[in-house]
């Protein structure tokens, strides 16, 4: 015969590996910044470095002990959400800057800040207004893809991570991948600052040799080229739909001024138009 029953919840704060998840949980867990751990007993942690959780179970937890003077994930050391992308052309050496909040003050003997981008690690420094500046470095990737987004990681004291709850990302990109003609190159989004360099390849603007011709924006590509057209025959009365394929055939439908077959104007149709190619 059962007289009384109750539900007990067992949990392990150390299972949480970052501050945001630790103090966002339903449990009586605190994040110790200088110890880099999630714990149910923060009395052992440095007083100025404890972020307390607001877990639903905290008031019901037996022997919950906290040193926290600030509570909630918004008090965690973290990177702030950005309104703009971080774009970086491969093999371009320039710094990367992100804004953070609640950064800990480094103590004697602790290692400084570093930025981790993929497999690359570079030193970083904290500027005014909690801006983290990753030192300039050239990055690259082997995949034949136009862009490669990589979640930015910032760490301190060796392996203590700064939270990145909004997944601030660095996007590396290559102007030349799948942009083998002037027309395809100029169709790239202007944010990449790609252009047709020296009439031979698509490149990032700073990678085009000084003095070499550099076409970008809404300009007309030189050397339009017809590769094929079909069908190759049709009735003399007309009415045959002709499909022309080639290179540098304009960036917009209206770039084509006229098409003539045996001195007879064709009626162009926007349906089926492919910028630069058809």
């Amino acid at each position: 015969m059962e007289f009384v029953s109750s539900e007990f919840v067992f949990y392990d704060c150390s299972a949480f590996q970052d501050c945001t998840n630790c103090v966002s949980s339903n449990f009586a867990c605190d994040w110790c910044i200088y110890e880099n751990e999630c714990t149910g007993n923060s009395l052992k942690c440095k007083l100025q470095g404890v972020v307390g959780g607001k877990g639903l179970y905290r008031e019901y937890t037996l022997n919950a002990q906290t040193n926290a003077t600030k509570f909630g994930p918004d008090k965690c050391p973290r990177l702030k959400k950005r309104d703009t992308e971080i774009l970086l052309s491969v093999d371009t050496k320039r710094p990367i800057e992100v804004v953070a909040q609640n950064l800990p003050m480094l103590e004697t003997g602790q290692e400084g800040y570093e930025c981790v981008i993929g497999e690359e690690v570079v030193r970083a420094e904290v500027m005014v207004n909690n801006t983290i500046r990753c030192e300039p470095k050239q990055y690259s990737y082997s995949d034949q893809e136009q862009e490669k987004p990589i979640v930015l990681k910032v760490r301190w004291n060796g392996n203590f991570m700064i939270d990145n709850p909004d997944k601030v990302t660095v996007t590396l990109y290559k102007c030349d991948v799948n942009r083998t003609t002037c027309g395809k190159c100029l169709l790239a989004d202007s944010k990449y600052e790609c252009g047709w360099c020296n009439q031979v390849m698509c490149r990032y603007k700073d990678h085009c040799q000084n003095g070499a011709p550099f076409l970008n924006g809404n300009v007309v590509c030189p050397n339009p080229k017809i590769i094929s057209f079909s069908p190759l025959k049709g009735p003399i009365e007309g009415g045959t739909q002709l499909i022309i394929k080639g290179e540098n055939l304009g960036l917009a439908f209206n770039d084509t001024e006229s098409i003539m077959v045996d001195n007879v104007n064709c009626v162009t149709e926007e349906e089926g138009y492919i910028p630069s190619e058809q």
Side-chain angles (χ1 to χ4, degrees):
M1 179 179 296
E2 183 177 308
F3 291 98
V4 65
S5 65
S6 181
E7 180 179 324
F8 287 89
V9 177
F10 296 91
Y11 60 91
D12 180 7
C13 291
S14 65
F16 298 107
Q17 300 299 305
D18 62 77
C19 179
T20 299
N21 284 310
C22 173
V23 303
S24 297
S25 73
N26 286 326
F27 311 114
C29 297
D30 296 338
W31 182 259
C32 300
I33 295 173
Y34 288 94
E35 291 74 20
N36 195 50
E37 67 175 352
C38 187
T39 179
N41 178 10
S42 59
L43 295 180
K44 61 182 180 179
C45 301
K46 185 172 180 178
L47 179 61
Q48 300 92 328
V50 179
V51 181
K54 295 182 177 180
L56 296 175
Y57 299 148
R58 179 176 287 276
E59 60 180 298
Y60 306 112
T61 300
L62 298 176
N63 301 321
Q65 302 180 76
T66 181
N67 236 354
T69 56
K70 47 192 175 184
F71 293 85
D74 59 330
K75 302 300 182 183
C76 290
R78 53 168 47 185
L79 302 183
K80 294 187 69 173
K81 185 178 181 178
R82 289 177 57 95
D83 295 325
T84 57
E85 294 179 275
I86 302 176
L87 296 171
L88 186 61
S89 173
V90 295
D91 301 323
T92 300
K93 190 175 183 178
R94 68 173 176 82
I96 295 171
E97 293 186 355
V98 290
V99 178
Q101 61 188 67
N102 310 316
L103 291 178
M105 295 291 294
L106 298 183
E107 298 183 328
T108 303
Q110 291 183 327
E111 298 179 37
Y113 286 90
E114 294 176 316
C115 296
V116 183
I117 302 173
E119 301 298 323
E120 303 287 348
V121 180
V122 298
R123 289 183 299 178
E125 58 180 326
V126 180
M127 315 291 284
V128 294
N129 299 323
N130 272 343
T131 296
I132 295 176
R133 185 178 189 268
C134 311
E135 70 177 13
K137 181 177 176 60
Q138 292 181 346
Y139 299 93
S140 62
Y141 58 93
S142 58
D143 302 336
Q144 285 302 302
E145 299 175 355
Q146 291 182 346
E147 61 178 43
K148 187 178 183 67
I150 302 174
V151 175
L152 175 64
K153 298 177 182 178
V154 177
R155 68 189 186 191
W156 63 287
N157 197 30
N159 62 352
F160 291 13
M161 305 303 298
I162 300 298
D163 288 2
N164 186 1
D166 295 304
K167 298 292 186 287
V168 174
T169 299
V170 176
T171 299
L172 304 179
Y173 66 91
K174 298 177 179 180
C175 288
D176 60 326
V177 172
N178 297 328
R179 299 187 180 109
T180 54
T181 67
C182 174
K184 289 181 179 180
C185 180
L186 269 55
L187 287 170
D189 194 306
S190 60
K191 67 183 181 182
Y192 297 117
E193 299 183 294
C194 299
W196 192 244
C197 176
N198 206 24
Q199 300 186 17
V200 293
M201 72 181 304
C202 192
R203 304 206 69 178
Y204 174 61
K205 65 173 186 176
D206 291 347
H207 293 170
C208 194
Q209 303 91 334
N210 290 333
F214 184 77
L215 299 179
N216 66 340
N218 295 318
V219 299
V220 177
C221 286
N223 306 319
K225 178 181 179 180
I226 293 177
I227 296 176
S228 67
F229 58 87
S230 62
L232 300 180
K233 58 183 179 180
I236 195 170
E237 295 83 3
T240 300
Q241 184 183 63
L242 182 67
I243 297 177
I244 301 172
K245 296 185 178 181
E247 299 175 355
N248 304 328
L249 303 181
L251 302 182
F253 173 73
N254 292 330
D255 287 347
T256 303
E257 296 182 359
S258 66
I259 299 175
M260 301 184 69
V261 176
D262 196 22
N263 293 322
V264 177
N265 281 316
C266 296
V267 178
T268 56
E269 298 177 344
E270 189 166 0
E271 182 180 359
Y273 172 74
I274 300 176
S276 178
E277 298 180 54
Q278 178 176 294

mmCIF file of all heavy atoms in Angstrom, residues 184-219:
data_model
loop_
_atom_site.group_PDB
_atom_site.id
_atom_site.type_symbol
_atom_site.label_atom_id
_atom_site.label_comp_id
_atom_site.label_asym_id
_atom_site.label_seq_id
_atom_site.Cartn_x
_atom_site.Cartn_y
_atom_site.Cartn_z
ATOM 1 N N LYS A 184 29.293 36.539 -65.248
ATOM 2 C CA LYS A 184 29.046 35.828 -63.996
ATOM 3 C C LYS A 184 29.699 36.546 -62.824
ATOM 4 O O LYS A 184 29.164 36.578 -61.713
ATOM 5 C CB LYS A 184 29.566 34.397 -64.093
ATOM 6 C CG LYS A 184 28.755 33.493 -65.012
ATOM 7 C CD LYS A 184 29.328 32.084 -65.017
ATOM 8 C CE LYS A 184 28.510 31.152 -65.902
ATOM 9 N NZ LYS A 184 29.054 29.763 -65.918
ATOM 10 N N CYS A 185 30.864 37.116 -63.058
ATOM 11 C CA CYS A 185 31.573 37.834 -62.010
ATOM 12 C C CYS A 185 30.777 39.055 -61.549
ATOM 13 O O CYS A 185 30.609 39.287 -60.349
ATOM 14 C CB CYS A 185 32.946 38.269 -62.517
ATOM 15 S SG CYS A 185 33.939 39.175 -61.313
ATOM 16 N N LEU A 186 30.260 39.813 -62.488
ATOM 17 C CA LEU A 186 29.538 41.039 -62.151
ATOM 18 C C LEU A 186 28.173 40.771 -61.539
ATOM 19 O O LEU A 186 27.549 41.671 -60.975
ATOM 20 C CB LEU A 186 29.399 41.932 -63.377
ATOM 21 C CG LEU A 186 30.530 42.961 -63.566
ATOM 22 C CD1 LEU A 186 31.892 42.309 -63.580
ATOM 23 C CD2 LEU A 186 30.315 43.783 -64.824
ATOM 24 N N LEU A 187 27.715 39.524 -61.628
ATOM 25 C CA LEU A 187 26.450 39.164 -60.988
ATOM 26 C C LEU A 187 26.621 38.890 -59.498
ATOM 27 O O LEU A 187 25.636 38.757 -58.780
ATOM 28 C CB LEU A 187 25.840 37.930 -61.678
ATOM 29 C CG LEU A 187 25.233 38.168 -63.064
ATOM 30 C CD1 LEU A 187 24.887 36.830 -63.714
ATOM 31 C CD2 LEU A 187 24.002 39.050 -62.973
ATOM 32 N N ALA A 188 27.867 38.803 -59.025
ATOM 33 C CA ALA A 188 28.112 38.577 -57.602
ATOM 34 C C ALA A 188 27.553 39.743 -56.799
ATOM 35 O O ALA A 188 27.592 40.901 -57.238
ATOM 36 C CB ALA A 188 29.602 38.416 -57.333
ATOM 37 N N ASP A 189 27.013 39.458 -55.626
ATOM 38 C CA ASP A 189 26.482 40.500 -54.753
ATOM 39 C C ASP A 189 27.554 41.554 -54.498
ATOM 40 O O ASP A 189 28.723 41.239 -54.261
ATOM 41 C CB ASP A 189 26.045 39.871 -53.427
ATOM 42 C CG ASP A 189 25.169 40.806 -52.596
ATOM 43 O OD1 ASP A 189 25.593 41.944 -52.337
ATOM 44 O OD2 ASP A 189 24.068 40.376 -52.201
ATOM 45 N N SER A 190 27.163 42.818 -54.557
ATOM 46 C CA SER A 190 28.121 43.912 -54.416
ATOM 47 C C SER A 190 28.836 43.902 -53.067
ATOM 48 O O SER A 190 29.912 44.482 -52.925
ATOM 49 C CB SER A 190 27.415 45.255 -54.617
ATOM 50 O OG SER A 190 26.386 45.429 -53.649
ATOM 51 N N LYS A 191 28.244 43.238 -52.057
ATOM 52 C CA LYS A 191 28.869 43.205 -50.735
ATOM 53 C C LYS A 191 30.230 42.505 -50.757
ATOM 54 O O LYS A 191 31.075 42.738 -49.884
ATOM 55 C CB LYS A 191 27.954 42.516 -49.724
ATOM 56 C CG LYS A 191 27.743 41.036 -49.966
ATOM 57 C CD LYS A 191 26.755 40.437 -48.966
ATOM 58 C CE LYS A 191 26.555 38.940 -49.181
ATOM 59 N NZ LYS A 191 25.555 38.376 -48.231
ATOM 60 N N TYR A 192 30.463 41.644 -51.769
ATOM 61 C CA TYR A 192 31.723 40.921 -51.850
ATOM 62 C C TYR A 192 32.841 41.747 -52.488
ATOM 63 O O TYR A 192 34.000 41.392 -52.387
ATOM 64 C CB TYR A 192 31.546 39.623 -52.638
ATOM 65 C CG TYR A 192 30.594 38.645 -52.010
ATOM 66 C CD1 TYR A 192 29.425 38.259 -52.649
ATOM 67 C CD2 TYR A 192 30.860 38.100 -50.758
ATOM 68 C CE1 TYR A 192 28.548 37.360 -52.066
ATOM 69 C CE2 TYR A 192 29.996 37.200 -50.163
ATOM 70 C CZ TYR A 192 28.835 36.842 -50.828
ATOM 71 O OH TYR A 192 27.964 35.947 -50.244
ATOM 72 N N GLU A 193 32.481 42.814 -53.184
ATOM 73 C CA GLU A 193 33.458 43.694 -53.841
ATOM 74 C C GLU A 193 34.327 42.930 -54.840
ATOM 75 O O GLU A 193 35.531 43.137 -54.933
ATOM 76 C CB GLU A 193 34.328 44.414 -52.802
ATOM 77 C CG GLU A 193 33.519 45.296 -51.860
ATOM 78 C CD GLU A 193 34.375 46.072 -50.876
ATOM 79 O OE1 GLU A 193 35.001 45.423 -50.016
ATOM 80 O OE2 GLU A 193 34.413 47.303 -50.990
ATOM 81 N N CYS A 194 33.682 42.029 -55.574
ATOM 82 C CA CYS A 194 34.362 41.295 -56.636
ATOM 83 C C CYS A 194 34.268 42.077 -57.937
ATOM 84 O O CYS A 194 33.326 42.851 -58.156
ATOM 85 C CB CYS A 194 33.741 39.912 -56.835
ATOM 86 S SG CYS A 194 33.809 38.821 -55.390
ATOM 87 N N GLY A 195 35.211 41.855 -58.823
ATOM 88 C CA GLY A 195 35.177 42.492 -60.138
ATOM 89 C C GLY A 195 36.009 41.719 -61.133
ATOM 90 O O GLY A 195 36.823 40.854 -60.775
ATOM 91 N N TRP A 196 35.805 42.043 -62.430
ATOM 92 C CA TRP A 196 36.517 41.357 -63.509
ATOM 93 C C TRP A 196 37.862 42.051 -63.694
ATOM 94 O O TRP A 196 37.937 43.194 -64.117
ATOM 95 C CB TRP A 196 35.697 41.385 -64.775
ATOM 96 C CG TRP A 196 36.179 40.479 -65.870
ATOM 97 C CD1 TRP A 196 36.644 40.850 -67.095
ATOM 98 C CD2 TRP A 196 36.240 39.051 -65.828
ATOM 99 N NE1 TRP A 196 36.983 39.748 -67.834
ATOM 100 C CE2 TRP A 196 36.742 38.626 -67.076
ATOM 101 C CE3 TRP A 196 35.915 38.098 -64.868
ATOM 102 C CZ2 TRP A 196 36.929 37.284 -67.380
ATOM 103 C CZ3 TRP A 196 36.105 36.757 -65.172
ATOM 104 C CH2 TRP A 196 36.607 36.359 -66.409
ATOM 105 N N CYS A 197 38.924 41.330 -63.341
ATOM 106 C CA CYS A 197 40.262 41.920 -63.288
ATOM 107 C C CYS A 197 41.068 41.602 -64.539
ATOM 108 O O CYS A 197 41.207 40.435 -64.922
ATOM 109 C CB CYS A 197 40.985 41.406 -62.045
ATOM 110 S SG CYS A 197 42.693 41.953 -61.889
ATOM 111 N N ASN A 198 41.573 42.658 -65.152
ATOM 112 C CA ASN A 198 42.497 42.529 -66.279
ATOM 113 C C ASN A 198 41.937 41.689 -67.422
ATOM 114 O O ASN A 198 42.687 41.061 -68.172
ATOM 115 C CB ASN A 198 43.826 41.928 -65.803
ATOM 116 C CG ASN A 198 44.995 42.317 -66.683
ATOM 117 O OD1 ASN A 198 44.958 43.334 -67.363
ATOM 118 N ND2 ASN A 198 46.028 41.496 -66.681
ATOM 119 N N GLN A 199 40.588 41.647 -67.497
ATOM 120 C CA GLN A 199 39.873 40.943 -68.564
ATOM 121 C C GLN A 199 40.123 39.431 -68.563
ATOM 122 O O GLN A 199 39.890 38.762 -69.576
ATOM 123 C CB GLN A 199 40.237 41.525 -69.934
ATOM 124 C CG GLN A 199 39.899 42.998 -70.070
ATOM 125 C CD GLN A 199 40.136 43.535 -71.462
ATOM 126 O OE1 GLN A 199 40.264 42.777 -72.422
ATOM 127 N NE2 GLN A 199 40.182 44.853 -71.576
ATOM 128 N N VAL A 200 40.578 38.876 -67.422
ATOM 129 C CA VAL A 200 40.869 37.442 -67.416
ATOM 130 C C VAL A 200 40.242 36.680 -66.251
ATOM 131 O O VAL A 200 39.993 35.480 -66.361
ATOM 132 C CB VAL A 200 42.389 37.165 -67.418
ATOM 133 C CG1 VAL A 200 43.021 37.605 -68.727
ATOM 134 C CG2 VAL A 200 43.062 37.839 -66.230
ATOM 135 N N MET A 201 39.985 37.328 -65.105
ATOM 136 C CA MET A 201 39.460 36.560 -63.977
ATOM 137 C C MET A 201 38.724 37.449 -62.990
ATOM 138 O O MET A 201 38.911 38.669 -62.955
ATOM 139 C CB MET A 201 40.579 35.794 -63.274
ATOM 140 C CG MET A 201 41.540 36.630 -62.472
ATOM 141 S SD MET A 201 42.845 35.626 -61.689
ATOM 142 C CE MET A 201 41.872 34.460 -60.755
ATOM 143 N N CYS A 202 37.871 36.794 -62.179
ATOM 144 C CA CYS A 202 37.103 37.484 -61.150
ATOM 145 C C CYS A 202 37.934 37.520 -59.872
ATOM 146 O O CYS A 202 38.386 36.480 -59.384
ATOM 147 C CB CYS A 202 35.784 36.744 -60.909
ATOM 148 S SG CYS A 202 34.579 37.664 -59.924
ATOM 149 N N ARG A 203 38.124 38.731 -59.328
ATOM 150 C CA ARG A 203 38.982 38.862 -58.157
ATOM 151 C C ARG A 203 38.399 39.882 -57.189
ATOM 152 O O ARG A 203 37.612 40.758 -57.563
ATOM 153 C CB ARG A 203 40.398 39.298 -58.542
ATOM 154 C CG ARG A 203 41.091 38.399 -59.535
ATOM 155 C CD ARG A 203 42.587 38.476 -59.421
ATOM 156 N NE ARG A 203 43.086 37.883 -58.195
ATOM 157 C CZ ARG A 203 44.379 37.798 -57.887
ATOM 158 N NH1 ARG A 203 45.299 38.277 -58.702
ATOM 159 N NH2 ARG A 203 44.759 37.240 -56.752
ATOM 160 N N TYR A 204 38.807 39.769 -55.928
ATOM 161 C CA TYR A 204 38.492 40.790 -54.932
ATOM 162 C C TYR A 204 39.229 42.071 -55.329
ATOM 163 O O TYR A 204 40.338 42.022 -55.853
ATOM 164 C CB TYR A 204 38.930 40.305 -53.554
ATOM 165 C CG TYR A 204 38.792 41.310 -52.452
ATOM 166 C CD1 TYR A 204 37.552 41.832 -52.115
ATOM 167 C CD2 TYR A 204 39.906 41.740 -51.745
ATOM 168 C CE1 TYR A 204 37.425 42.760 -51.088
ATOM 169 C CE2 TYR A 204 39.795 42.661 -50.716
ATOM 170 C CZ TYR A 204 38.550 43.173 -50.399
ATOM 171 O OH TYR A 204 38.429 44.093 -49.394
ATOM 172 N N LYS A 205 38.611 43.217 -55.078
ATOM 173 C CA LYS A 205 39.139 44.477 -55.612
ATOM 174 C C LYS A 205 40.594 44.737 -55.227
ATOM 175 O O LYS A 205 41.388 45.225 -56.048
ATOM 176 C CB LYS A 205 38.265 45.642 -55.153
ATOM 177 C CG LYS A 205 38.269 45.892 -53.663
ATOM 178 C CD LYS A 205 37.518 47.158 -53.302
ATOM 179 C CE LYS A 205 37.659 47.454 -51.803
ATOM 180 N NZ LYS A 205 37.017 48.729 -51.432
ATOM 181 N N ASP A 206 40.976 44.406 -53.994
ATOM 182 C CA ASP A 206 42.343 44.687 -53.552
ATOM 183 C C ASP A 206 43.353 43.690 -54.093
ATOM 184 O O ASP A 206 44.566 43.861 -53.897
ATOM 185 C CB ASP A 206 42.413 44.699 -52.019
ATOM 186 C CG ASP A 206 41.682 45.883 -51.415
ATOM 187 O OD1 ASP A 206 41.332 46.809 -52.177
ATOM 188 O OD2 ASP A 206 41.444 45.892 -50.189
ATOM 189 N N HIS A 207 42.881 42.642 -54.763
ATOM 190 C CA HIS A 207 43.780 41.637 -55.318
ATOM 191 C C HIS A 207 44.040 41.852 -56.803
ATOM 192 O O HIS A 207 44.794 41.082 -57.412
ATOM 193 C CB HIS A 207 43.220 40.227 -55.111
ATOM 194 C CG HIS A 207 43.169 39.822 -53.667
ATOM 195 N ND1 HIS A 207 42.517 38.678 -53.240
ATOM 196 C CD2 HIS A 207 43.671 40.407 -52.547
ATOM 197 C CE1 HIS A 207 42.622 38.583 -51.919
ATOM 198 N NE2 HIS A 207 43.314 39.616 -51.483
ATOM 199 N N CYS A 208 43.409 42.861 -57.389
ATOM 200 C CA CYS A 208 43.646 43.182 -58.800
ATOM 201 C C CYS A 208 44.861 44.106 -58.874
ATOM 202 O O CYS A 208 44.935 45.111 -58.158
ATOM 203 C CB CYS A 208 42.418 43.847 -59.405
ATOM 204 S SG CYS A 208 42.448 43.925 -61.208
ATOM 205 N N GLN A 209 45.816 43.778 -59.720
ATOM 206 C CA GLN A 209 47.064 44.538 -59.785
ATOM 207 C C GLN A 209 46.795 46.012 -60.057
ATOM 208 O O GLN A 209 45.865 46.390 -60.770
ATOM 209 C CB GLN A 209 47.977 43.978 -60.893
ATOM 210 C CG GLN A 209 48.309 42.506 -60.762
ATOM 211 C CD GLN A 209 47.317 41.627 -61.500
ATOM 212 O OE1 GLN A 209 46.162 42.003 -61.706
ATOM 213 N NE2 GLN A 209 47.776 40.449 -61.901
ATOM 214 N N ASN A 210 47.631 46.840 -59.459
ATOM 215 C CA ASN A 210 47.500 48.280 -59.668
ATOM 216 C C ASN A 210 47.584 48.613 -61.153
ATOM 217 O O ASN A 210 48.486 48.160 -61.852
ATOM 218 C CB ASN A 210 48.605 49.036 -58.921
ATOM 219 C CG ASN A 210 48.412 48.996 -57.415
ATOM 220 O OD1 ASN A 210 47.291 48.875 -56.939
ATOM 221 N ND2 ASN A 210 49.499 49.113 -56.676
ATOM 222 N N GLY A 211 46.619 49.401 -61.608
ATOM 223 C CA GLY A 211 46.614 49.821 -63.002
ATOM 224 C C GLY A 211 45.904 48.866 -63.936
ATOM 225 O O GLY A 211 45.614 49.226 -65.087
ATOM 226 N N ALA A 212 45.612 47.643 -63.483
ATOM 227 C CA ALA A 212 44.916 46.682 -64.345
ATOM 228 C C ALA A 212 43.442 47.056 -64.444
ATOM 229 O O ALA A 212 42.851 47.551 -63.483
ATOM 230 C CB ALA A 212 45.065 45.271 -63.784
ATOM 231 N N PRO A 213 42.821 46.853 -65.598
ATOM 232 C CA PRO A 213 41.384 47.151 -65.726
ATOM 233 C C PRO A 213 40.570 46.338 -64.724
ATOM 234 O O PRO A 213 40.813 45.140 -64.546
ATOM 235 C CB PRO A 213 41.069 46.732 -67.169
ATOM 236 C CG PRO A 213 42.386 46.721 -67.880
ATOM 237 C CD PRO A 213 43.405 46.337 -66.849
ATOM 238 N N PHE A 214 39.622 47.001 -64.069
ATOM 239 C CA PHE A 214 38.793 46.328 -63.065
ATOM 240 C C PHE A 214 37.354 46.756 -63.282
ATOM 241 O O PHE A 214 36.992 47.925 -63.086
ATOM 242 C CB PHE A 214 39.263 46.710 -61.648
ATOM 243 C CG PHE A 214 38.531 45.979 -60.548
ATOM 244 C CD1 PHE A 214 38.825 44.656 -60.249
ATOM 245 C CD2 PHE A 214 37.537 46.622 -59.811
ATOM 246 C CE1 PHE A 214 38.160 43.984 -59.228
ATOM 247 C CE2 PHE A 214 36.876 45.963 -58.785
ATOM 248 C CZ PHE A 214 37.183 44.643 -58.490
ATOM 249 N N LEU A 215 36.522 45.806 -63.713
ATOM 250 C CA LEU A 215 35.121 46.090 -63.978
ATOM 251 C C LEU A 215 34.266 45.567 -62.834
ATOM 252 O O LEU A 215 34.406 44.423 -62.416
ATOM 253 C CB LEU A 215 34.677 45.427 -65.281
ATOM 254 C CG LEU A 215 35.397 45.845 -66.569
ATOM 255 C CD1 LEU A 215 34.839 45.064 -67.759
ATOM 256 C CD2 LEU A 215 35.246 47.336 -66.817
ATOM 257 N N ASN A 216 33.371 46.406 -62.332
ATOM 258 C CA ASN A 216 32.399 45.953 -61.331
ATOM 259 C C ASN A 216 31.169 46.838 -61.421
ATOM 260 O O ASN A 216 31.159 47.870 -62.109
ATOM 261 C CB ASN A 216 32.997 45.966 -59.919
ATOM 262 C CG ASN A 216 33.327 47.366 -59.433
ATOM 263 O OD1 ASN A 216 33.473 48.293 -60.219
ATOM 264 N ND2 ASN A 216 33.471 47.516 -58.136
ATOM 265 N N GLY A 217 30.107 46.413 -60.754
ATOM 266 C CA GLY A 217 28.869 47.179 -60.800
ATOM 267 C C GLY A 217 28.089 46.893 -62.074
ATOM 268 O O GLY A 217 28.298 45.891 -62.764
ATOM 269 N N ASN A 218 27.197 47.790 -62.403
ATOM 270 C CA ASN A 218 26.320 47.604 -63.569
ATOM 271 C C ASN A 218 26.964 48.166 -64.833
ATOM 272 O O ASN A 218 26.541 49.189 -65.382
ATOM 273 C CB ASN A 218 24.969 48.282 -63.316
ATOM 274 C CG ASN A 218 24.203 47.640 -62.178
ATOM 275 O OD1 ASN A 218 24.171 46.421 -62.068
ATOM 276 N ND2 ASN A 218 23.598 48.451 -61.332
ATOM 277 N N VAL A 219 27.997 47.488 -65.281
ATOM 278 C CA VAL A 219 28.669 47.895 -66.516
ATOM 279 C C VAL A 219 28.471 46.809 -67.559
ATOM 280 O O VAL A 219 28.047 45.695 -67.249
ATOM 281 C CB VAL A 219 30.176 48.141 -66.270
ATOM 282 C CG1 VAL A 219 30.384 49.246 -65.252
ATOM 283 C CG2 VAL A 219 30.868 46.870 -65.822
#
